[in-house]
Structures are given as structure tokens and as C-alpha cells.
Amino acid sequence: MFYVSPEGGRYYLGRAFDYNSLQYTTAGATADTFTSLGFTEVTPDPTPDSRFYIFSGPDNAGKYNSTPRDLKQLKASFSAEQLNTANGILQQSDFVFIRLAEEGAGTVTVPAALPTQRDEVRAVCKGNIKLITDCKSVAALEALIKAPATVADPQHPDEVRTMENPEPHLKPYPSIDVAEYLTLKTL
């Protein structure tokens, strides 16, 4: 929040200032002082997200001037983040398959659940990237990226219950409990 003088100068609470040849201390820079001088209180709009917009401001009305970033580049960047996340999760269990390649199937047994868990990570990644690439505007991409995976359940307003967000959102990645597979047979 800030205050704008009738001449268009911008002033802030708690900051010493000069106005009409008078000096005001930090203690004198109060809402009451600004109001008595005829200043207008301005509450700026929310700051645009710099990941999605190039912006300047706020102006004396509290508005920002913003330009959307390049949608194609944003899609590529957010898709790369999804790939990096999936890759990081998969790398944690790669040791099992490396050992299998080194020693052969007779020596190493891949735990039955592991390939399924890895496939789930890949499926989430592919689904999230599809959602990202299907966005038609920067605003739609921003809404997708910021959408929570779960929301309050409207069927139970008096209870703390959540449900999967019915709006498009990025799915959370499943985890792979590597400690479960870290045995002498797989190491």
C-alpha cells in the first residue's frame, strides 16, 4: 500500500518525506498524516507472476503493465521441469536395472512392483506434459501450473476433507521407496 499526493508523488507509511516545504519523520508518515494532506490511499493489484509475464509497475493507480511471455518457450520450460522430475525419481531405482544388465537375470531379480511403479511415474509425466502442451494461452498455462492437486470437498463443508481437483491440474508424482528394493540381491 502507498499514498499518492495530489501532485502525483508516491509516499509510503513509515518513511520520512518532504512535502510542501515541510519535513515529516518516519513517525509522522502515518495514514492519518497522509489523509490530512489530501493524499489518496492506493492498494496495488497483485503482482503478476514473473514466470509468466514481463511487467512494470505498479503505477499510481496500483495497476501493473504486463506482457505475457512467449507461450511456446513457457511450454518447453515447464515440460522440461516435468521430465527432470520424472527422471530424478526414476534414477533412484536405476541401480536395480544396472545390476540386472551387469549380472544377468539368473543372478538378479527385479522386484515385481518396481516396473509398475516406474511406469506410473512415466504416465504422470506424460499426462502432465500433455496438459501443458494443450494450453492455448499463457493465462491457461498459469492456471494449470498453479492449480492445486486437491481441493476442499464441497460435499462436506463442515469437515476437513479434500478431493482431487476437478479442474485441470498437474498430477503429483508417485514416489518409489528405494529402501524397499535395496537388498544384497539387487545391489
Side-chain angles (χ1 to χ4, degrees), residues 8-25:
R10 195 178 294 188
Y11 300 88
Y12 296 89
L13 292 173
R15 284 195 198 164
F17 67 99
D18 295 339
Y19 184 69
N20 284 343
S21 301
L22 294 174
Q23 294 180 340
Y24 295 84
T25 65

Side-chain angles (χ1 to χ4, degrees), residues 114-125:
L114 184 56
T116 302
Q117 291 173 334
R118 290 171 61 93
D119 287 343
E120 289 171 3
V121 170
R122 291 183 187 99
V124 167
C125 183

